[in-house]
Coordinates of all heavy atoms in Angstrom, one line a residue:
F204 N -9.8 9.8 -14.5 CA -8.4 9.5 -14.4 C -7.9 9.0 -15.8 O -6.9 9.4 -16.3 CB -8.1 8.6 -13.3 CG -6.7 8.0 -13.4 CD1 -5.5 8.8 -13.4 CD2 -6.5 6.6 -13.5 CE1 -4.3 8.2 -13.5 CE2 -5.3 6.1 -13.7 CZ -4.2 6.9 -13.6
M205 N -8.6 7.9 -16.2 CA -8.1 7.3 -17.5 C -8.2 8.2 -18.6 O -7.3 8.3 -19.5 CB -9.0 6.0 -17.7 CG -8.7 4.9 -16.8 SD -7.1 4.2 -16.8 CE -7.2 3.1 -18.2
K206 N -9.2 9.1 -18.7 CA -9.3 10.0 -19.8 C -8.2 11.1 -19.7 O -7.7 11.5 -20.7 CB -10.7 10.7 -19.8 CG -11.0 11.5 -21.1 CD -12.4 11.7 -21.4 CE -12.6 12.5 -22.7 NZ -13.9 13.0 -22.9
M207 N -7.9 11.5 -18.5 CA -6.8 12.5 -18.3 C -5.5 11.9 -18.8 O -4.6 12.6 -19.3 CB -6.7 13.0 -16.9 CG -7.7 13.9 -16.4 SD -7.3 14.7 -14.8 CE -6.1 16.0 -15.3
M208 N -5.3 10.6 -18.6 CA -4.1 9.9 -18.9 C -4.0 9.8 -20.5 O -3.0 10.1 -21.1 CB -3.9 8.6 -18.2 CG -2.5 8.0 -18.3 SD -2.1 7.0 -16.9 CE -3.1 5.6 -17.2
F209 N -5.0 9.2 -21.1 CA -4.9 8.8 -22.5 C -5.6 9.8 -23.4 O -5.5 9.7 -24.6 CB -5.6 7.4 -22.7 CG -4.8 6.3 -22.0 CD1 -5.4 5.5 -21.1 CD2 -3.4 6.2 -22.2 CE1 -4.7 4.5 -20.4 CE2 -2.7 5.2 -21.5 CZ -3.3 4.3 -20.6
N210 N -6.3 10.8 -22.8 CA -6.9 11.9 -23.6 C -7.8 11.4 -24.7 O -7.8 11.8 -25.8 CB -5.8 12.8 -24.3 CG -6.3 14.1 -24.7 OD1 -7.4 14.6 -24.2 ND2 -5.6 14.8 -25.6
K211 N -8.5 10.3 -24.3 CA -9.6 9.8 -25.2 C -10.6 9.1 -24.4 O -10.4 8.8 -23.2 CB -9.0 8.8 -26.2 CG -8.3 7.6 -25.6 CD -7.7 6.7 -26.6 CE -7.2 5.4 -26.0 NZ -6.4 4.5 -26.8
D212 N -11.8 8.9 -25.0 CA -12.9 8.2 -24.2 C -12.5 6.8 -23.8 O -11.7 6.2 -24.5 CB -14.2 8.1 -25.1 CG -14.8 9.5 -25.4 OD1 -14.4 10.4 -24.5 OD2 -15.5 9.7 -26.4
V213 N -13.0 6.4 -22.7 CA -12.6 5.1 -22.1 C -13.8 4.2 -22.1 O -14.9 4.6 -21.7 CB -12.1 5.3 -20.6 CG1 -11.5 4.1 -20.1 CG2 -11.1 6.5 -20.6
A214 N -13.6 2.9 -22.5 CA -14.7 1.9 -22.6 C -15.2 1.6 -21.2 O -14.4 1.5 -20.2 CB -14.2 0.7 -23.3
P215 N -16.5 1.4 -21.0 CA -17.1 1.1 -19.7 C -16.4 -0.1 -19.1 O -16.2 -0.1 -17.9 CB -18.6 0.8 -20.1 CG -18.8 1.5 -21.3 CD -17.5 1.6 -22.1
A216 N -16.0 -1.1 -19.9 CA -15.4 -2.3 -19.3 C -14.1 -1.9 -18.6 O -13.7 -2.5 -17.6 CB -15.2 -3.4 -20.4
V217 N -13.4 -1.0 -19.3 CA -12.1 -0.5 -18.7 C -12.3 0.3 -17.4 O -11.6 0.0 -16.4 CB -11.3 0.3 -19.7 CG1 -10.1 1.0 -19.1 CG2 -11.0 -0.5 -21.0
V218 N -13.3 1.1 -17.4 CA -13.7 1.9 -16.2 C -14.0 1.0 -15.1 O -13.5 1.1 -13.9 CB -14.8 2.9 -16.5 CG1 -15.3 3.6 -15.2 CG2 -14.4 3.9 -17.5
S219 N -14.8 -0.1 -15.4 CA -15.2 -1.0 -14.3 C -14.0 -1.8 -13.8 O -13.9 -2.0 -12.6 CB -16.2 -2.0 -15.0 OG -16.4 -3.1 -14.1
A220 N -13.1 -2.1 -14.7 CA -11.9 -2.9 -14.2 C -11.0 -2.0 -13.3 O -10.5 -2.4 -12.3 CB -11.1 -3.3 -15.4
I221 N -10.8 -0.7 -13.7 CA -10.0 0.2 -12.9 C -10.7 0.4 -11.5 O -10.0 0.4 -10.5 CB -9.8 1.6 -13.6 CG1 -8.9 1.4 -14.9 CG2 -9.2 2.6 -12.7 CD1 -7.5 1.0 -14.6
N222 N -12.0 0.6 -11.5 CA -12.7 0.8 -10.3 C -12.5 -0.4 -9.3 O -12.1 -0.2 -8.2 CB -14.2 0.9 -10.6 CG -15.1 1.2 -9.3 OD1 -14.9 2.2 -8.7 ND2 -15.9 0.2 -8.9
K223 N -12.6 -1.6 -9.9 CA -12.4 -2.8 -9.1 C -10.9 -2.8 -8.6 O -10.7 -3.1 -7.4 CB -12.7 -4.0 -9.9 CG -12.6 -5.3 -9.1 CD -13.2 -6.5 -9.9 CE -14.7 -6.5 -9.9 NZ -15.2 -7.8 -10.4
L224 N -10.0 -2.6 -9.4 CA -8.5 -2.6 -9.0 C -8.2 -1.6 -8.0 O -7.5 -1.9 -7.0 CB -7.6 -2.4 -10.3 CG -7.5 -3.6 -11.2 CD1 -6.9 -3.2 -12.5 CD2 -6.6 -4.7 -10.5
L225 N -8.8 -0.4 -8.1 CA -8.5 0.6 -7.1 C -9.1 0.2 -5.7 O -8.5 0.3 -4.7 CB -9.1 2.0 -7.5 CG -8.5 2.6 -8.7 CD1 -9.2 4.0 -9.0 CD2 -7.0 2.8 -8.5
I226 N -10.3 -0.4 -5.7 CA -10.9 -0.9 -4.5 C -10.0 -2.0 -3.9 O -9.8 -2.0 -2.6 CB -12.3 -1.5 -4.7 CG1 -13.3 -0.3 -5.1 CG2 -12.8 -2.3 -3.5 CD1 -14.7 -0.8 -5.6
L227 N -9.5 -2.9 -4.7 CA -8.7 -4.0 -4.2 C -7.4 -3.6 -3.5 O -6.8 -4.3 -2.8 CB -8.4 -5.0 -5.3 CG -9.6 -5.8 -5.8 CD1 -9.3 -6.5 -7.1 CD2 -10.2 -6.7 -4.7
H228 N -7.0 -2.3 -3.8 CA -5.7 -1.8 -3.2 C -6.0 -0.8 -2.1 O -5.0 -0.2 -1.6 CB -4.9 -1.2 -4.3 CG -4.3 -2.1 -5.3 ND1 -5.0 -2.7 -6.3 CD2 -3.0 -2.7 -5.4 CE1 -4.2 -3.5 -7.0 NE2 -3.0 -3.5 -6.5
V229 N -7.2 -0.6 -1.7 CA -7.6 0.5 -0.9 C -6.9 0.6 0.5 O -6.5 1.7 1.0 CB -9.1 0.7 -0.7 CG1 -9.6 -0.3 0.3 CG2 -9.5 2.1 -0.4
D230 N -6.7 -0.5 1.2 CA -6.0 -0.5 2.5 C -5.6 -1.9 2.8 O -6.2 -2.9 2.3 CB -6.9 0.0 3.6 CG -6.1 0.2 4.9 OD1 -5.1 1.0 4.9 OD2 -6.5 -0.5 5.9
H231 N -4.6 -2.1 3.7 CA -4.2 -3.4 4.0 C -3.5 -3.5 5.4 O -2.4 -4.0 5.5 CB -3.2 -4.0 2.9 CG -3.4 -5.5 2.8 ND1 -2.5 -6.4 3.0 CD2 -4.6 -6.2 2.5 CE1 -2.9 -7.6 2.8 NE2 -4.2 -7.5 2.5
E232 N -4.1 -2.9 6.3 CA -3.7 -2.7 7.7 C -2.3 -2.1 7.8 O -2.0 -1.2 7.1 CB -4.0 -3.9 8.6 CG -3.5 -5.2 8.1 CD -2.9 -6.0 9.3 OE1 -1.7 -5.8 9.6 OE2 -3.6 -6.8 9.9
Q233 N -1.4 -2.7 8.6 CA -0.1 -2.0 8.9 C 1.0 -2.5 8.0 O 2.1 -2.8 8.4 CB 0.2 -2.2 10.4 CG -0.8 -1.8 11.3 CD -1.4 -0.4 11.0 OE1 -0.6 0.5 10.7 NE2 -2.7 -0.2 11.0
N234 N 0.7 -2.5 6.6 CA 1.8 -2.8 5.7 C 2.9 -1.7 5.7 O 2.8 -0.7 6.4 CB 1.2 -2.9 4.3 CG 0.5 -1.6 3.9 OD1 1.1 -0.7 3.5 ND2 -0.8 -1.5 4.2
C235 N 4.0 -2.0 5.0 CA 5.1 -1.1 5.0 C 4.8 0.4 4.8 O 5.2 1.3 5.5 CB 6.2 -1.6 4.0 SG 7.7 -0.6 3.9
S236 N 4.0 0.6 3.8 CA 3.7 2.0 3.4 C 2.7 2.7 4.4 O 2.9 3.8 4.8 CB 3.2 2.1 2.0 OG 2.1 1.3 1.8
A237 N 1.7 1.9 4.8 CA 0.8 2.5 5.8 C 1.5 2.8 7.1 O 1.3 3.8 7.8 CB -0.4 1.5 6.0
S238 N 2.4 1.9 7.5 CA 3.2 2.1 8.8 C 4.1 3.3 8.6 O 4.3 4.1 9.6 CB 4.0 0.9 9.1 OG 3.2 -0.2 9.3
T239 N 4.6 3.5 7.4 CA 5.4 4.7 7.1 C 4.6 6.0 7.2 O 5.0 7.0 7.9 CB 6.0 4.6 5.7 OG1 6.8 3.4 5.6 CG2 6.9 5.9 5.4
V240 N 3.4 6.0 6.7 CA 2.5 7.1 6.8 C 2.2 7.4 8.3 O 2.2 8.6 8.7 CB 1.2 6.9 6.0 CG1 0.1 8.0 6.3 CG2 1.4 6.8 4.5
R241 N 1.9 6.4 9.0 CA 1.7 6.6 10.5 C 2.9 7.1 11.2 O 2.8 8.0 12.0 CB 1.2 5.2 11.1 CG -0.2 4.9 10.9 CD -0.6 3.6 11.6 NE -2.1 3.4 11.6 CZ -2.9 3.5 12.7 NH1 -2.4 4.0 13.8 NH2 -4.2 3.3 12.6
M242 N 4.1 6.5 10.9 CA 5.3 6.9 11.5 C 5.6 8.4 11.3 O 5.9 9.2 12.2 CB 6.5 6.1 11.0 CG 7.8 6.4 11.7 SD 7.9 6.2 13.4 CE 8.4 4.4 13.5
V243 N 5.5 8.8 10.0 CA 5.8 10.2 9.7 C 4.7 11.1 10.3 O 5.0 12.2 11.0 CB 5.8 10.5 8.2 CG1 5.9 11.9 7.8 CG2 7.0 9.7 7.6
G244 N 3.4 10.7 10.3 CA 2.4 11.5 10.8 C 2.5 11.6 12.3 O 2.0 12.5 13.0
S245 N 3.1 10.6 13.0 CA 3.2 10.5 14.4 C 4.0 11.6 15.0 O 4.0 12.0 16.2 CB 3.7 9.2 14.9 OG 5.1 9.1 14.7
S246 N 4.9 12.2 14.1 CA 5.7 13.4 14.6 C 4.9 14.7 14.4 O 5.4 15.8 14.6 CB 7.0 13.5 13.7 OG 6.7 14.0 12.4
H247 N 3.6 14.5 14.0 CA 2.7 15.7 13.7 C 3.2 16.4 12.4 O 2.9 17.6 12.3 CB 2.5 16.6 14.9 CG 1.8 15.9 16.0 ND1 1.4 16.6 17.2 CD2 1.4 14.7 16.2 CE1 0.8 15.7 18.0 NE2 0.7 14.6 17.4
A248 N 3.9 15.7 11.6 CA 4.2 16.2 10.2 C 2.9 16.3 9.5 O 1.9 15.6 9.7 CB 5.2 15.3 9.5
N249 N 2.8 17.2 8.4 CA 1.5 17.4 7.7 C 1.2 16.2 6.9 O 2.1 15.3 6.5 CB 1.6 18.7 6.9 CG 2.6 18.5 5.8 OD1 2.3 18.0 4.7 ND2 3.9 19.0 6.0
L250 N -0.1 16.1 6.4 CA -0.5 14.9 5.7 C 0.1 14.8 4.3 O 0.4 13.7 3.8 CB -2.1 15.0 5.5 CG -2.7 13.8 4.8 CD1 -2.4 12.5 5.5 CD2 -4.3 14.0 4.8
Y251 N 0.4 15.9 3.6 CA 1.1 15.8 2.3 C 2.5 15.1 2.5 O 2.8 14.3 1.7 CB 1.3 17.2 1.7 CG 0.0 17.9 1.4 CD1 -0.3 19.1 2.0 CD2 -0.8 17.4 0.4 CE1 -1.5 19.8 1.6 CE2 -2.0 18.1 0.1 CZ -2.3 19.3 0.7 OH -3.5 19.9 0.4
A252 N 3.2 15.5 3.5 CA 4.5 14.9 3.8 C 4.4 13.4 4.1 O 5.1 12.5 3.7 CB 5.2 15.6 4.9
S253 N 3.3 13.1 4.9 CA 3.1 11.7 5.3 C 2.7 10.8 4.2 O 3.3 9.7 4.0 CB 2.0 11.6 6.4 OG 2.3 12.5 7.5

Side-chain angles (χ1 to χ4, degrees):
F204 164 62
M205 290 297 279
K206 190 160 182 193
M207 284 192 81
M208 192 149 73
F209 295 125
N210 200 17
K211 63 181 182 187
D212 291 340
V213 188
V217 172
V218 173
S219 166
I221 292 291
N222 182 66
K223 182 171 284 196
L224 282 163
L225 294 181
I226 291 171
L227 291 169
H228 287 81
V229 78
D230 187 60
H231 214 239
E232 53 137 275
Q233 303 313 315
N234 57 83
C235 179
S236 55
S238 300
T239 301
V240 170
R241 278 182 173 256
M242 179 63 89
V243 172
S245 73
S246 74
H247 292 185
N249 66 86
L250 183 56
Y251 294 117
S253 305

